[in-house]
């Protein structure tokens, strides 16, 4: 959207997030659930908020049955959680996500050769 966001560490406890108004990834000094989880949540919020072309939002909402009836906030929170699991567990070989969600993430994040 605006290039690579800056990253700042803030005092406090919680999960990382993305501040779209300042184009900043915010990581708490004392992350809940570990550094990997906190950073992956921050990256998930960044990817969701910067998806102006809806290349992530549309398939995530329309191709996963349980997401079709969710509000925008519930959909975003669900994406952050699933993205964190994808980055921290699935990429290491553990099958955590439901089959339907796993297939959508594979289609969204698989590197494709240019034609």
């Amino acid at each position: 959207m605006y290039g690579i966001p800056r990253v700042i560490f803030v005092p406090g406890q919680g999960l990382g997030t993305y501040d779209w108004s300042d184009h900043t990834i915010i990581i708490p000094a004392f992350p809940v659930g570990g550094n990997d989880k906190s950073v992956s949540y921050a990256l998930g919020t960044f990817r969701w908020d910067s998806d102006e072309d809806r290349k992530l939002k549309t398939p995530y909402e329309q191709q996963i049955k349980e997401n079709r009836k969710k509000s925008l906030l519930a959909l975003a929170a669900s994406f952050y959680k699933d993205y964190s699991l994808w980055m921290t567990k699935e990429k290491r070989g553990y099958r955590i996500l439901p089959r339907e969600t796993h297939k959508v993430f594979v289609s969204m994040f698989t590197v494709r050769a240019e034609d």
Side-chain angles (χ1 to χ4, degrees):
M1 192 158 101
Y2 303 109
I4 298 172
R6 64 185 175 151
V7 177
I8 61 169
F9 291 92
V10 296
Q13 183 176 0
L15 294 170
T17 192
Y18 171 70
D19 179 5
W20 61 269
S21 65
D22 197 28
H23 191 53
T24 303
I25 291 178
I26 301 169
I27 307 294
F30 305 102
V32 172
N35 294 330
D36 288 350
K37 184 175 181 180
S38 186
V39 170
S40 65
Y41 261 79
L43 293 174
T45 60
F46 169 66
R47 295 208 64 165
W48 187 263
D49 288 348
S50 61
D51 184 31
E52 292 180 349
D53 296 336
R54 298 191 60 85
K55 290 182 180 182
L56 300 177
K57 293 175 185 172
T58 299
Y60 188 74
E61 180 179 14
Q62 294 178 357
Q63 295 177 15
I64 301 172
K65 289 179 188 176
E66 68 183 37
N67 289 345
R68 293 178 189 156
K69 296 180 182 180
K70 290 183 179 177
S71 68
L72 291 176
L73 290 176
L75 191 64
S78 178
F79 178 81
Y80 307 152
K81 179 182 173 193
D82 289 344
Y83 187 81
S84 177
L85 288 172
W86 174 259
M87 294 297 290
T88 61
K89 304 286 189 226
E90 293 269 337
K91 284 304 186 182
R92 292 184 182 150
Y94 301 105
R95 293 298 301 258
I96 305 292
L97 294 171
R99 180 179 304 252
E100 191 175 48
T101 306
H102 176 82
K103 285 182 180 180
V104 171
F105 272 77
V106 167
S107 70
M108 287 190 299
F109 298 116
T110 299
V111 178
R112 294 176 189 92
E114 296 291 325
D115 291 310

